[in-house]
Amino acid sequence: MNLRSQIKDQIFTFKSLRDLLAKANEEKSGDALVGLAAETATERVAAKLCLANLQLKDIYENPVIPYENDEVTRLIYDDINTTIYNSISHWTVSELREYILGSKSRQNDLLHISRGLTSEMIAAVAKLMSSMDLVYACKKIKVAAHCNTTIGLPGTLSFRNQSNHPTDNIDGIIAATKDGLSFGCGDAVLGINPVEDNVENYERIMRALIDLKERYEIPTQCTVLAHVSTQMQALKKGIPVDLVFQSVAGTESAHKGFGIDKAMLTEAHEMALKLGAATGPNVMYFETGQGSEVSVDCHHGVDMVTLEARTYGVARHFNPFMVNNVSGFIGPETIFTGKEVIRADLEDLFMGKLHGLPMGIAPCHTNHMKADRDDQEIGTMLAAMAGANFFMGIGGGDDCMLSYQDTSFHDDASIREILGLRPAPEFEKWLEKWGIMEDGKLTDRGGDASIFD
Amino acid sequence: MDKKTEDLIIESVIRQLMETQAQSAENNFRAGPESNSRDSGSSSEPNTLEPMDVIGVENPHNLEALKVMRKTSPARIFMGRCGARQKTASYLNYMADHAAAIDAVLMDVSEQFIADNDLFKVKTVVKDKDEYLMRPDLGRKLSQESKDEILQKGEKGKQVQIIVVDGLSSTSIEANVADAMPALIQGLGTYGITVGRPFFIKYGRVAIMDEVAPLLDCDVVVEFIGERPGLITAESMSAYMAYRPDHNTNESNRTVVSNIHRNGTPPTEAGAHLATLVKKMIDNKASGIKLAALP
Amino acid sequence: MATQSPQILQSVGIDIGTSTTQLVFSRLTLKNIAPGSLVPRFAITDKDVYYKSEIHTTPIDTRNRLDIDKIFDLIQAEFDGAGISPNDVDTGAVIITGETARKENARSISARVAKFSGKFVVATAGGKLEAIIAGKGSGAADLSRREFSIVANADIGGGTSNIGVFKNGKAIDSCCVNVGGRMLQIDKASSRITDISEPMRLVLSDLNLELRKGDRISLDVLRRICQRMSAVILECLGMIDPSALATQLLVTAPLRLNYKTDSFMMSGGVADHVYSPRPNMTLEEATQYNDMGPLLGNELANLCRTEKIPLVKPLETIRATVIGAGAQTVDVSGSTILVDEKLLPFKDIPVAIPFVDGIPMDEATIARQVAQSITSFYESDALEKIAIGLLGEQHFSFTDIQVLARGLLKGLEPLVRKTLPLIIVLESDVGKVLGQTMRALDSQLNIVCLDQLVVAEGDYIDIGKPLAGGTVVPVVIKSLVFETKQVE
């Protein structure tokens, strides 16, 4: 494994593959915070040069966190198809990049090699891509998934109706959810982040969502984004759970910080299939984001992009319905500027798709970052062009409970119009039945939540 | 020091705070910078933002339903649309709220405020706002000069030390401390609890209290700190408290009261409530989840 | 810090009506509904009515008064039946409704029953309160909230009909009219009239009917009476132009009717016959309870059909009032308050409202207006307990609180001198800081300073001992039209 490279008259020697992967990253505050980032722009390019010439087997043979030490590493390696891996192990990362971008490779080809790629290989290739490279590659892959309904079909774009409330007030949640529905938002899921994480509160919110879904016969799925252990209690109690949610990360120790491990996720997945209310087969909803390992101090000296890729390695094991990336949510210590968020969103969308995942994105920001609504909207438009399965939908783009800014109900309807994308088919029929949508566009009734009363 | 002297001191602190507060109202009026567009001096009515609770939906099916539902959530809903986009008024409301949030994060707590509230000012090792935002670890360490100053101007061995920390919203500090702090001091006074001279820490994070308590040998630190601003309000303040915090303290050892602002828990009422909490901490020698678990 | 586990309150509801007497027991869940790091906010989050008594005939003695001994026997038997001791009961209400409320011993009985039945059981009799309680018990209030509409509930009992109107869950209007199923008592075996109530004489004279005790009544005549009374109910609801008779029968002022009612609900004993009318009812069926209740229900149903009035089925009919009394009367204060526990409970404290348009931030003005507001209740040499209600959700700086506290102390000086407690009921969430400030000014004061409650001039307030580890107190505000921040 050659870890030396020369740019002009400067020669760089990288300490390890881990060091090289980190230094090849585009600039992000989280890598700098933990002292992993390249010190100069030239060092960054030197790392990319080195990385481009590594063979996939160099990466395979040097896991960033040893197999024995980390169950996430084990999960990623155990899930690899060795026949496919062996057939491409001699490729350099540069060759992999050019194969992905090449005119001949289509979704099936990419999903085929995907089975032979470890998450670190996918991270490596993302580091050799510009923004348009990432969008170009993303556009080739769109993986559909089915819970009660199907999202991610070609030509569609779906949304999670995320009508959170600062005190979990049911009337407030339902009022805002109706507003979103009237804009055509909610075909991915009606999903609420609870303020209080306990099974009573979970049940209270879930029952309200189910009641709404049943009263208006909405073809969608419901979820309450409590901790997975709370949702398992709910499943045991017989509450009709469609989708089981959990935030996941790229290291075993970060999972420990989240109060989860592979065994718990496996049990939750099995319970969702056995006791849950959904048709399936996809019954899990994961959220991820660059920097979550940094925020709980469990990064093991690995950079944020690589850890994020490993997170997708975890997600694909559980055959999820949706994987949502919220890199912009964590804060300035991991992602500081609008440019950093947009870059992260595109990297994450690409890495998720190349893992064969039904990916969505929440191009978002908090108020203590150097990012604003324009950055958020640019991120949304790019990720939509790149073929994200779904975005969030929030009234006016401001989550009044989580205090961060994300895609609005208005943005949802706009992006469908701009790109000529349609809701999930069953949901579009439902919108037409309520007179909200005609020929894929909002009617005069669109945006009027009182049509439901 | 006996009880009577303490009472006198507390009383005089309250009186001073009230007086300086009254003065600050006048000073603020004069203090506006003249070089920018903030005050045109013209007598014409200024343009104002549309109230947040306006129903923007045109010809709704059931206006009454929208009005009632509007009251159930602070979310930005029922705003109407032009095409699929937001109307101008709701767009400008968003921009104004986001601007307030950005300003709350980036601006500094004014010298005037520090003087008005009879605080003295110290600082962490952070050198500027950007570093403050990207390096939470540095916001938990006092600079050496600051430690010296605290020992020199502060009071050792009191039961309670109040600190005011900018955190992520200077605006919230300026909006709430002048009401919350004297209410807290008064409440502690009625319980006969002693309080050291409050001071301000610039570029601080919550855990800065862990350096303060050992330095001043107090039982409880009450830390007023600016919360990360949202668009609903940039004025929200939290009070973090811990019983004898030090470098072994973790988050579960702290008690927090959040959402202190004029539309949340009013700052005066929060101050009174905190006094009761602090008394409970001192009586039980506990804070955080240990305190919460008590009957 | 707040205790997170909910507290269960045992609540009793007792309804002593013209024809029937009932009890219910319910469990009210009192819970902190504020998320973790916020200042706690307690509310009643769940109301589980788990025991409903039989429907007893109200015992009347030979002098046509409530038979107090028999009423106590009956209540005791139901407590025993439910396996509950009055010592276990935290709260609830005794409500004496309809004609019964006008019986001469009603008020004293209501108070005695309340005292017997639990720690903080309130007594009510008459007024418009029961119309609101019945509308909450029937589900009308909740329906109006769910459907963003205006719903009127008529609770038709033996002697009176109580009409409550609700908009978006809140009571906006109410009235009481003398129309009931037992205003004429008839022996079912002989079809002879055994009693005619006073208001019934007005109905009879309106119809030019001459009936006396002992007369045999025909189905036809009885039907005419019931039709006329049904019309009066619809007149009171504003669905038919009002007649002179309706005005005569009204016990209270009529409904204001400055709104459009979307739907109508009927509860009370007669309501069952409204929702399942019987075609070709015979005289035997009409008088099966020795009165005219079934036929009144039948005729009311017919008239609603003719007048195309949209009737919605209630959750409860005959039990609406008792369930309302048992599960819907008590409220809780804000959770940051200051109370001297040893003073409580208080019952039937009149409320004075010194300021109509906000509180003037001037000590002398506050003192003067507060002092004045008391004098309209009591002569200066005969002071008794009084609560000062401070309305409005205005923002108070710490300086404002100091001014308010000093002004209140000065204005309430006569109470302090008589060592009467200072009872302050605020709408704004500043009860604790105001209480602490008054205490800081004078540590000897007896203070009960509550917040997040809305009271009105002329209200009476009952305040119980603190709950939830001393953070809140239960209160019942008895108003003409009362609405507080109860979680539905």
Side-chain angles (χ1 to χ4, degrees):
Chain A
M1 186 167 60
N2 185 354
L3 297 177
R4 276 163 64 83
S5 58
Q6 179 171 2
I7 304 279
K8 306 264 166 37
D9 53 357
Q10 289 186 69
I11 297 177
F12 295 86
T13 306
F14 298 96
K15 289 196 286 284
S16 60
L17 176 65
R18 204 166 55 197
D19 182 42
L20 178 70
L21 284 166
K23 296 213 157 109
N25 267 352
E26 291 302 309
E27 197 176 338
K28 296 209 189 78
S29 62
D31 288 338
L33 174 69
V34 294
L36 297 174
E39 280 170 22
T40 63
T42 306
E43 187 185 19
R44 176 168 297 120
V45 181
K48 286 182 201 277
L49 173 59
C50 229
L51 190 57
N53 288 292
L54 287 187
Q55 289 186 331
L56 298 184
K57 68 168 187 276
D58 295 327
I59 297 176
Y60 188 90
E61 286 159 8
N62 294 283
V64 291
I65 306 173
Y67 185 90
E68 313 70 58
N69 297 356
D70 187 287
E71 71 174 12
V72 170
T73 307
R74 291 197 288 279
L75 188 151
I76 292 167
Y77 276 75
D78 295 351
D79 279 355
I80 291 295
N81 178 306
T82 47
T83 308
I84 298 174
Y85 163 69
N86 286 330
S87 72
I88 57 174
S89 62
H90 60 285
W91 286 9
T92 63
V93 179
S94 167
E95 283 167 334
L96 174 61
R97 174 180 178 276
E98 290 175 7
Y99 178 81
I100 292 166
L101 296 173
S103 307
K104 293 204 183 85
S105 50
R106 311 242 164 144
Q107 170 149 326
N108 269 348
D109 310 303
L110 297 178
L111 291 180
H112 178 76
I113 62 158
S114 165
R115 303 249 289 120
L117 296 175
T118 63
S119 301
E120 288 84 345
M121 297 172 198
I122 293 174
V125 74
K127 292 161 200 266
L128 296 184
M129 287 189 174
S130 69
S131 290
M132 203 180 286
D133 293 345
L134 291 166
V135 173
Y136 189 80
C138 277
K139 188 76 176 124
K140 297 185 178 198
I141 308 174
K142 189 156 187 173
V143 177
H146 189 275
C147 183
N148 292 323
T149 61
T150 309
I151 64 170
L153 292 170
T156 68
L157 177 59
S158 298
F159 301 103
R160 166 183 160 199
N161 190 319
Q162 179 179 321
S163 296
N164 297 335
H165 189 282
T167 59
D168 289 336
N169 177 294
I170 294 293
D171 290 341
I173 288 169
I174 296 303
T177 304
K178 284 179 179 172
D179 195 45
L181 288 167
S182 76
F183 278 90
C185 168
D187 49 347
V189 62
L190 309 180
I192 299 300
N193 296 81
V195 181
E196 290 282 280
D197 194 326
N198 58 57
V199 74
E200 294 81 43
N201 197 39
Y202 177 95
E203 175 163 13
R204 205 171 59 91
I205 300 172
M206 189 55 129
R207 297 256 180 228
L209 292 176
I210 293 169
D211 178 55
L212 182 78
K213 186 179 104 169
E214 288 178 353
R215 189 156 16 120
Y216 300 110
E217 299 174 322
I218 312 169
T220 187
Q221 25 281 321
C222 300
T223 196
V224 176
L225 290 79
H227 190 267
V228 68
S229 56
T230 307
Q231 297 169 83
M232 286 158 75
Q233 288 176 51
L235 280 160
K236 280 185 204 147
K237 257 187 96 176
I239 299 165
V241 176
D242 288 333
L243 268 179
V244 171
F245 162 84
Q246 181 56 41
S247 288
V248 286
T251 65
E252 182 180 337
S253 57
H255 278 169
K256 212 166 157 199
F258 289 1
I260 58 168
D261 58 18
K262 184 188 163 198
M264 187 187 282
L265 290 175
T266 305
E267 191 188 349
H269 185 217
E270 282 165 6
M271 278 176 77
L273 289 170
K274 213 176 175 76
L275 303 175
T279 313
N282 311 108
V283 292
M284 300 299 281
Y285 169 7
F286 293 122
E287 280 192 358
T288 73
Q290 286 190 28
S292 50
E293 299 84 359
V294 173
S295 70
V296 290
D297 203 18
C298 297
H299 51 80
H300 300 273
V302 181
D303 70 272
M304 299 201 301
V305 170
T306 306
L307 290 173
E308 180 69 6
R310 287 166 56 89
T311 307
Y312 300 134
V314 173
R316 81 169 152 186
H317 183 76
F318 297 99
N319 200 14
F321 177 65
M322 49 201 287
V323 178
N324 180 37
N325 171 278
V326 289
S327 286
F329 180 71
I330 296 170
E333 65 273 24
T334 56
I335 291 187
F336 191 40
T337 64
K339 183 177 190 296
E340 291 179 25
V341 182
I342 293 169
R343 171 78 200 180
D345 287 341
L346 296 179
E347 287 165 348
D348 299 344
L349 187 58
F350 165 73
M351 296 193 297
K353 280 175 178 257
L354 196 52
H355 275 85
L357 290 169
M359 282 301 292
I361 287 279
C364 58
H365 67 94
T366 58
N367 291 317
H368 58 326
M369 288 165 59
K370 289 205 165 158
D372 61 15
R373 185 179 189 130
D374 286 330
D375 298 312
Q376 192 271 317
E377 290 182 0
I378 291 166
T380 304
M381 289 187 284
L382 290 177
M385 281 173 67
N389 279 9
F390 62 87
F391 295 99
M392 303 296 102
I394 302 176
D398 173 43
D399 190 309
C400 57
M401 179 280 220
L402 295 170
S403 280
Y404 82 111
Q405 278 65 247
D406 204 333
T407 320
S408 68
F409 298 147
H410 290 79
D411 293 346
D412 294 351
S414 306
I415 209 81
R416 275 187 184 142
E417 278 195 37
I418 293 169
L419 295 175
L421 298 169
R422 309 290 276 250
E426 306 93 317
F427 195 79
E428 181 169 0
K429 283 203 194 83
W430 179 82
L431 291 171
E432 285 168 353
K433 189 182 97 187
W434 279 90
I436 294 167
M437 188 173 266
E438 247 173 51
D439 301 325
K441 278 188 148 189
L442 292 182
T443 66
D444 285 348
R445 278 162 73 89
D448 176 5
S450 69
I451 58 171
F452 300 114
D453 291 298
Chain B
M1 200 187 291
D2 65 13
K3 167 92 174 62
K4 203 156 186 189
T5 328
E6 279 165 15
D7 287 350
L8 281 174
I9 291 172
I10 289 164
E11 246 179 63
S12 87
V13 169
I14 293 171
R15 205 175 315 115
Q16 268 178 25
L17 284 170
M18 284 173 59
E19 282 162 10
T20 45
Q21 218 180 301
Q23 279 165 15
S24 83
E26 292 168 32
N27 291 343
N28 281 348
F29 188 70
R30 284 197 298 266
E34 331 245 321
S35 57
N36 62 24
S37 57
R38 244 193 268 174
D39 184 16
S40 68
S42 148
S43 61
S44 63
E45 282 293 306
N47 290 299
T48 54
L49 294 164
E50 188 176 272
M52 277 294 289
D53 56 359
V54 163
I55 304 289
V57 180
E58 282 169 26
N59 306 314
H61 172 71
N62 183 345
L63 180 61
E64 185 58 30
L66 292 180
K67 280 186 186 162
V68 174
M69 286 195 285
R70 186 71 199 83
K71 293 198 184 90
T72 62
S73 176
R76 288 163 196 262
I77 50 177
F78 314 147
M79 299 186 299
R81 60 193 179 90
C82 41
R85 304 305 295 158
Q86 268 177 250
K87 291 178 159 188
T88 313
S90 69
Y91 171 69
L92 289 173
N93 266 330
Y94 179 102
M95 299 303 280
D97 291 341
H98 187 245
I102 294 290
D103 288 345
V105 173
L106 296 181
M107 287 191 323
D108 290 328
V109 168
S110 69
E111 295 299 328
Q112 185 72 55
F113 167 85
I114 289 161
D116 288 348
N117 288 280
D118 195 29
L119 302 166
F120 64 94
K121 175 172 152 185
V122 298
K123 183 170 136 348
T124 63
V125 296
V126 168
K127 64 176 190 296
D128 59 29
K129 256 315 164 189
D130 278 8
E131 185 175 74
Y132 173 73
L133 293 171
M134 286 190 281
R135 295 290 304 271
D137 51 328
L138 301 182
R140 299 176 192 129
K141 294 190 183 93
L142 286 168
S143 68
Q144 189 53 49
E145 309 85 83
S146 292
K147 286 184 185 171
D148 296 343
E149 198 173 342
I150 290 168
L151 284 173
Q152 188 205 329
K153 296 186 184 164
E155 295 172 271
K156 272 188 106 162
K158 299 287 175 182
Q159 286 172 289
V160 173
Q161 179 61 48
I162 300 172
I163 55 177
V164 178
V165 180
D166 49 2
L168 290 168
S169 173
S170 298
T171 309
S172 81
I173 294 302
E174 297 207 8
N176 301 303
V177 166
D179 290 322
M181 191 164 68
L184 168 61
I185 294 171
Q186 169 183 275
L188 293 174
T190 62
Y191 294 129
I193 294 170
T194 60
V195 185
R197 182 181 172 197
F199 56 92
F200 171 77
I201 305 175
K202 190 173 179 174
Y203 298 140
R205 299 267 171 182
V206 170
I208 196 67
M209 66 162 72
D210 302 349
E211 296 220 318
V212 170
L215 208 56
L216 291 175
D217 188 30
C218 57
D219 286 335
V220 171
V221 176
V222 179
E223 174 177 338
F224 290 116
I225 185 166
E227 290 176 12
R228 191 182 90 192
L231 297 202
I232 302 299
T233 177
E235 287 192 359
S236 191
M237 182 175 82
S238 284
Y240 280 83
M241 288 150 285
Y243 184 78
R244 293 210 157 260
D246 59 24
H247 287 290
N248 297 317
T249 299
N250 61 39
E251 294 322 300
S252 67
N253 301 132
R254 300 186 217 282
T255 297
V256 58
V257 171
S258 65
N259 202 37
I260 301 169
H261 58 97
R262 67 162 55 211
N263 296 316
T265 297
T268 49
E269 187 74 346
H273 175 63
L274 294 175
T276 310
L277 274 177
V278 169
K279 172 150 183 14
K280 202 171 164 192
M281 282 179 201
I282 290 174
D283 290 349
N284 295 285
K285 298 187 176 356
S287 57
I289 50 172
K290 216 169 129 195
L291 185 78
L294 292 171
Chain C
M1 177 142 290
T3 36
Q4 290 299 314
S5 52
Q7 183 172 354
I8 303 295
L9 303 181
Q10 285 286 353
S11 175
V12 66
I14 303 174
D15 173 16
I16 304 170
T18 311
S19 338
T20 63
T21 293
Q22 310 172 55
L23 275 84
V24 294
F25 291 102
S26 37
R27 294 187 191 94
L28 310 182
T29 307
L30 179 66
K31 218 169 124 178
N32 179 12
I33 57 166
S37 70
L38 302 189
V39 171
R41 194 161 84 78
F42 279 84
I44 292 164
T45 55
D46 198 28
K47 299 156 185 172
D48 171 30
V49 179
Y50 68 93
Y51 181 90
K52 298 175 183 176
S53 77
E54 277 178 49
I55 294 164
H56 302 276
T57 303
T58 298
I60 303 290
D61 67 14
T62 45
R63 287 155 62 200
N64 197 24
R65 301 192 321 177
L66 292 168
D67 187 331
I68 188 137
D69 293 337
K70 285 197 177 141
I71 287 175
F72 268 98
D73 289 349
L74 183 162
I75 291 170
Q76 183 65 60
E78 290 296 348
F79 267 91
D80 294 345
I84 293 207
S85 148
N87 291 331
D88 302 333
V89 173
D90 299 294
T91 186
V94 179
I95 184 161
I96 299 199
T97 53
E99 271 292 276
T100 325
R102 283 201 295 282
K103 298 205 187 293
E104 51 187 290
N105 55 348
R107 193 165 273 280
S108 76
I109 287 182
S110 150
R112 284 174 62 187
V113 172
K115 194 156 194 261
F116 165 81
S117 307
K119 287 171 221 147
F120 184 60
V121 177
V122 301
T124 64
K128 292 176 161 188
L129 187 56
E130 64 235 38
I132 293 163
I133 289 177
K136 289 189 169 183
S138 75
D142 216 34
L143 178 74
S144 76
R145 189 184 65 84
R146 273 200 324 274
E147 300 197 338
F148 310 107
S149 60
I150 296 182
V151 181
N153 184 71
D155 189 85
I156 307 163
T160 54
S161 294
N162 295 314
I163 299 176
V165 186
F166 301 86
K167 179 181 180 182
N168 305 322
K170 296 186 191 298
I172 57 165
D173 206 356
S174 73
C175 75
C176 175
V177 61
N178 272 320
V179 172
R182 209 170 172 76
M183 282 161 58
L184 204 57
Q185 294 183 40
I186 302 149
D187 175 48
K188 67 180 169 189
S190 64
S191 307
R192 284 184 197 283
I193 295 170
T194 56
D195 192 38
I196 301 173
S197 74
E198 279 309 312
M200 178 50 81
R201 296 185 194 284
L202 298 168
V203 181
L204 297 178
S205 105
D206 183 79
L207 291 169
N208 292 318
L209 286 172
E210 290 214 11
L211 288 176
R212 277 187 204 84
K213 239 195 228 185
D215 287 356
R216 192 188 288 269
I217 196 157
S218 72
L219 183 62
D220 194 44
V221 169
L222 196 59
R223 181 174 290 125
R224 277 178 61 201
I225 294 170
C226 289
Q227 283 170 344
R228 186 70 193 93
M229 289 168 71
S230 299
V232 169
I233 290 179
L234 296 192
E235 288 168 30
C236 290
L237 284 166
M239 303 309 291
I240 304 181
D241 289 339
S243 63
L245 179 62
T247 314
Q248 287 172 319
L249 290 175
L250 270 166
V251 182
T252 61
L255 294 182
R256 294 188 314 277
L257 295 171
N258 52 350
Y259 46 80
K260 187 189 157 292
T261 309
D262 298 300
S263 43
F264 297 84
M265 222 179 234
M266 309 279 173
S267 60
V270 171
D272 284 324
H273 306 283
V274 177
Y275 290 94
S276 40
R278 224 169 211 284
N280 311 317
M281 189 180 266
T282 62
L283 186 61
E284 288 69 37
E285 287 165 343
T287 59
Q288 59 184 304
Y289 305 113
N290 296 319
D291 61 16
M292 54 186 228
L295 191 59
L296 177 59
N298 236 29
E299 292 310 316
L300 186 54
N302 286 337
L303 191 60
C304 286
R305 208 167 29 248
T306 330
E307 296 288 330
K308 298 194 170 47
I309 289 169
L311 278 188
V312 183
K313 255 195 149 166
L315 295 176
E316 290 290 339
T317 52
I318 193 162
R319 288 190 168 93
T321 302
V322 73
I323 284 176
Q328 309 263 13
T329 36
V330 74
D331 200 349
V332 291
S333 68
S335 312
T336 50
I337 55 174
L338 190 137
V339 292
D340 286 324
E341 180 167 355
K342 60 181 190 300
L343 303 173
L344 297 172
F346 290 151
K347 290 204 168 180
D348 287 314
I349 309 290
V351 178
I353 305 288
F355 314 107
V356 183
D357 302 312
I359 301 164
M361 274 310 143
D362 172 73
E363 201 178 306
T365 319
I366 291 172
R368 195 176 58 244
Q369 283 182 243
V370 167
Q372 257 167 20
S373 72
I374 305 177
T375 55
S376 58
F377 283 84
Y378 297 116
E379 297 296 331
S380 58
D381 56 348
L383 272 182
E384 288 192 49
K385 288 196 200 86
I386 187 159
I388 304 297
L390 301 175
L391 300 179
E393 294 198 85
Q394 77 193 76
H395 180 74
F396 296 94
S397 70
F398 187 66
T399 319
D400 294 339
I401 293 287
Q402 302 275 328
V403 171
L404 179 58
R406 286 175 204 278
L408 281 167
L409 280 196
K410 211 174 274 177
L412 296 173
E413 166 64 15
L415 295 180
V416 177
R417 243 183 293 126
K418 282 197 73 180
T419 61
L420 285 167
L422 305 188
I423 308 167
I424 315 290
V425 182
L426 290 139
E427 184 173 357
S428 282
D429 181 16
V430 289
K432 186 159 204 156
V433 68
L434 181 63
Q436 280 186 357
T437 306
M438 293 198 291
R439 170 131 312 156
L441 291 168
D442 179 351
S443 61
Q444 301 304 309
L445 293 175
N446 291 319
I447 301 174
V448 171
C449 193
L450 311 181
D451 61 20
Q452 295 187 293
L453 292 168
V454 181
V455 287
E457 182 88 34
D459 286 357
Y460 286 81
I461 186 169
D462 288 23
I463 305 171
K465 280 198 180 292
L467 303 168
T471 37
V472 295
V473 291
V475 295
V476 174
I477 298 163
K478 301 176 209 172
S479 331
L480 294 185
V481 172
F482 83 115
E483 266 314 305
T484 50
K485 290 171 182 165
Q486 195 159 3
V487 170
E488 298 287 335

